[in-house]
mmCIF file of all heavy atoms in Angstrom:
data_model
loop_
_atom_site.group_PDB
_atom_site.id
_atom_site.type_symbol
_atom_site.label_atom_id
_atom_site.label_comp_id
_atom_site.label_asym_id
_atom_site.label_seq_id
_atom_site.Cartn_x
_atom_site.Cartn_y
_atom_site.Cartn_z
ATOM 1 N N ALA A 66 -59.641 -118.287 153.257
ATOM 2 C CA ALA A 66 -59.520 -118.501 154.707
ATOM 3 C C ALA A 66 -58.215 -119.223 155.083
ATOM 4 O O ALA A 66 -57.580 -118.874 156.081
ATOM 5 C CB ALA A 66 -60.730 -119.296 155.218
ATOM 6 N N ASP A 90 -61.719 -116.685 161.977
ATOM 7 C CA ASP A 90 -62.776 -117.586 161.526
ATOM 8 C C ASP A 90 -63.173 -118.478 162.702
ATOM 9 O O ASP A 90 -62.306 -118.869 163.509
ATOM 10 C CB ASP A 90 -62.225 -118.441 160.357
ATOM 11 C CG ASP A 90 -63.319 -119.084 159.532
ATOM 12 O OD1 ASP A 90 -64.222 -119.704 160.118
ATOM 13 O OD2 ASP A 90 -63.263 -118.985 158.287
ATOM 14 N N VAL A 91 -64.458 -118.818 162.793
ATOM 15 C CA VAL A 91 -64.940 -119.633 163.924
ATOM 16 C C VAL A 91 -64.199 -120.964 164.078
ATOM 17 O O VAL A 91 -64.175 -121.542 165.157
ATOM 18 C CB VAL A 91 -66.458 -119.921 163.799
ATOM 19 C CG1 VAL A 91 -67.269 -118.661 164.003
ATOM 20 C CG2 VAL A 91 -66.801 -120.567 162.460
ATOM 21 N N ILE A 92 -63.594 -121.436 163.003
ATOM 22 C CA ILE A 92 -62.929 -122.750 163.050
ATOM 23 C C ILE A 92 -61.557 -122.722 163.727
ATOM 24 O O ILE A 92 -60.971 -123.765 163.975
ATOM 25 C CB ILE A 92 -62.745 -123.305 161.617
ATOM 26 C CG1 ILE A 92 -62.131 -122.221 160.729
ATOM 27 C CG2 ILE A 92 -64.061 -123.831 161.106
ATOM 28 C CD1 ILE A 92 -62.090 -122.541 159.237
ATOM 29 N N ASP A 138 -72.544 -116.400 159.958
ATOM 30 C CA ASP A 138 -72.676 -116.726 158.542
ATOM 31 C C ASP A 138 -73.476 -118.009 158.419
ATOM 32 O O ASP A 138 -73.280 -118.942 159.209
ATOM 33 C CB ASP A 138 -71.288 -116.948 157.907
ATOM 34 C CG ASP A 138 -70.959 -115.918 156.835
ATOM 35 O OD1 ASP A 138 -71.876 -115.210 156.404
ATOM 36 O OD2 ASP A 138 -69.784 -115.835 156.420
ATOM 37 N N TYR A 187 -60.082 -125.296 149.018
ATOM 38 C CA TYR A 187 -59.772 -124.463 150.199
ATOM 39 C C TYR A 187 -60.923 -124.650 151.179
ATOM 40 O O TYR A 187 -61.807 -125.481 150.962
ATOM 41 C CB TYR A 187 -59.568 -122.990 149.788
ATOM 42 C CG TYR A 187 -60.859 -122.233 149.561
ATOM 43 C CD1 TYR A 187 -61.225 -121.153 150.372
ATOM 44 C CD2 TYR A 187 -61.749 -122.615 148.562
ATOM 45 C CE1 TYR A 187 -62.422 -120.485 150.184
ATOM 46 C CE2 TYR A 187 -62.944 -121.953 148.380
ATOM 47 C CZ TYR A 187 -63.282 -120.896 149.188
ATOM 48 O OH TYR A 187 -64.476 -120.249 149.013
ATOM 49 N N GLU A 188 -60.937 -123.859 152.248
ATOM 50 C CA GLU A 188 -61.938 -124.043 153.298
ATOM 51 C C GLU A 188 -63.378 -124.059 152.779
ATOM 52 O O GLU A 188 -64.236 -124.780 153.284
ATOM 53 C CB GLU A 188 -61.762 -122.953 154.369
ATOM 54 C CG GLU A 188 -62.663 -123.097 155.585
ATOM 55 C CD GLU A 188 -62.466 -124.425 156.304
ATOM 56 O OE1 GLU A 188 -61.341 -124.973 156.287
ATOM 57 O OE2 GLU A 188 -63.448 -124.940 156.872
ATOM 58 N N GLY A 189 -63.628 -123.252 151.762
ATOM 59 C CA GLY A 189 -64.987 -123.201 151.219
ATOM 60 C C GLY A 189 -65.462 -124.568 150.727
ATOM 61 O O GLY A 189 -66.651 -124.895 150.798
ATOM 62 N N VAL A 192 -66.685 -126.532 153.625
ATOM 63 C CA VAL A 192 -68.032 -126.071 153.989
ATOM 64 C C VAL A 192 -69.076 -126.701 153.060
ATOM 65 O O VAL A 192 -70.073 -127.278 153.514
ATOM 66 C CB VAL A 192 -68.110 -124.526 153.889
ATOM 67 C CG1 VAL A 192 -69.556 -124.042 153.971
ATOM 68 C CG2 VAL A 192 -67.264 -123.866 154.968
ATOM 69 N N GLU A 244 -65.548 -117.586 147.164
ATOM 70 C CA GLU A 244 -66.749 -116.760 147.299
ATOM 71 C C GLU A 244 -66.848 -115.723 146.172
ATOM 72 O O GLU A 244 -67.903 -115.549 145.558
ATOM 73 C CB GLU A 244 -66.763 -116.028 148.651
ATOM 74 C CG GLU A 244 -67.201 -116.879 149.836
ATOM 75 C CD GLU A 244 -66.118 -117.807 150.360
ATOM 76 O OE1 GLU A 244 -64.989 -117.796 149.819
ATOM 77 O OE2 GLU A 244 -66.399 -118.557 151.311
ATOM 78 N N TRP A 262 -72.974 -117.098 150.984
ATOM 79 C CA TRP A 262 -73.209 -116.455 152.275
ATOM 80 C C TRP A 262 -74.052 -115.198 152.085
ATOM 81 O O TRP A 262 -74.133 -114.659 150.960
ATOM 82 C CB TRP A 262 -71.869 -116.070 152.903
ATOM 83 C CG TRP A 262 -70.868 -117.174 153.032
ATOM 84 C CD1 TRP A 262 -69.743 -117.336 152.254
ATOM 85 C CD2 TRP A 262 -70.864 -118.253 153.968
ATOM 86 N NE1 TRP A 262 -69.060 -118.451 152.677
ATOM 87 C CE2 TRP A 262 -69.717 -119.037 153.713
ATOM 88 C CE3 TRP A 262 -71.719 -118.640 154.993
ATOM 89 C CZ2 TRP A 262 -69.402 -120.171 154.461
ATOM 90 C CZ3 TRP A 262 -71.403 -119.770 155.728
ATOM 91 C CH2 TRP A 262 -70.264 -120.514 155.471
ATOM 92 N N LEU A 298 -72.162 -123.794 159.950
ATOM 93 C CA LEU A 298 -72.049 -122.517 160.652
ATOM 94 C C LEU A 298 -70.736 -121.816 160.302
ATOM 95 O O LEU A 298 -69.660 -122.357 160.508
ATOM 96 C CB LEU A 298 -72.135 -122.731 162.167
ATOM 97 C CG LEU A 298 -72.150 -121.461 163.007
ATOM 98 C CD1 LEU A 298 -73.377 -120.601 162.678
ATOM 99 C CD2 LEU A 298 -72.128 -121.785 164.496
ATOM 100 N N GLY A 299 -70.858 -120.623 159.749
ATOM 101 C CA GLY A 299 -69.675 -119.806 159.480
ATOM 102 C C GLY A 299 -69.628 -118.643 160.450
ATOM 103 O O GLY A 299 -70.386 -118.603 161.417
ATOM 104 N N GLY A 300 -68.749 -117.700 160.188
ATOM 105 C CA GLY A 300 -68.704 -116.500 161.003
ATOM 106 C C GLY A 300 -67.321 -116.224 161.558
ATOM 107 O O GLY A 300 -66.389 -117.004 161.347
ATOM 108 N N HIS A 301 -67.233 -115.113 162.254
ATOM 109 C CA HIS A 301 -65.935 -114.636 162.739
ATOM 110 C C HIS A 301 -66.022 -114.082 164.145
ATOM 111 O O HIS A 301 -66.997 -113.431 164.506
ATOM 112 C CB HIS A 301 -65.402 -113.565 161.786
ATOM 113 C CG HIS A 301 -65.028 -114.133 160.454
ATOM 114 N ND1 HIS A 301 -65.938 -114.326 159.456
ATOM 115 C CD2 HIS A 301 -63.844 -114.600 159.990
ATOM 116 C CE1 HIS A 301 -65.331 -114.877 158.407
ATOM 117 N NE2 HIS A 301 -64.058 -115.056 158.704
ATOM 118 N N ARG A 370 -68.393 -127.039 162.369
ATOM 119 C CA ARG A 370 -67.225 -127.821 161.952
ATOM 120 C C ARG A 370 -66.474 -128.242 163.212
ATOM 121 O O ARG A 370 -66.584 -127.574 164.242
ATOM 122 C CB ARG A 370 -66.352 -126.972 161.007
ATOM 123 C CG ARG A 370 -66.947 -126.868 159.599
ATOM 124 C CD ARG A 370 -66.343 -125.748 158.794
ATOM 125 N NE ARG A 370 -66.908 -124.446 159.161
ATOM 126 C CZ ARG A 370 -66.502 -123.277 158.702
ATOM 127 N NH1 ARG A 370 -65.501 -123.235 157.844
ATOM 128 N NH2 ARG A 370 -67.084 -122.156 159.085
HETATM 129 C C1 GLC B 1 -66.949 -117.486 155.346
HETATM 130 C C2 GLC B 1 -67.370 -118.049 156.702
HETATM 131 C C3 GLC B 1 -66.242 -118.835 157.311
HETATM 132 C C4 GLC B 1 -65.778 -119.906 156.353
HETATM 133 C C5 GLC B 1 -65.371 -119.302 155.019
HETATM 134 C C6 GLC B 1 -65.035 -120.377 154.002
HETATM 135 O O1 GLC B 1 -66.005 -116.491 155.521
HETATM 136 O O2 GLC B 1 -67.791 -117.025 157.567
HETATM 137 O O3 GLC B 1 -66.627 -119.398 158.552
HETATM 138 O O4 GLC B 1 -64.739 -120.684 156.894
HETATM 139 O O5 GLC B 1 -66.415 -118.503 154.515
HETATM 140 O O6 GLC B 1 -64.681 -119.846 152.792
#
Side-chain angles (χ1 to χ4, degrees):
D90 198 311
V91 291
I92 49 189
D138 244 346
Y187 79 116
E188 185 59 31
V192 168
E244 281 79 1
W262 306 106
L298 185 62
H301 292 84
R370 284 163 281 174

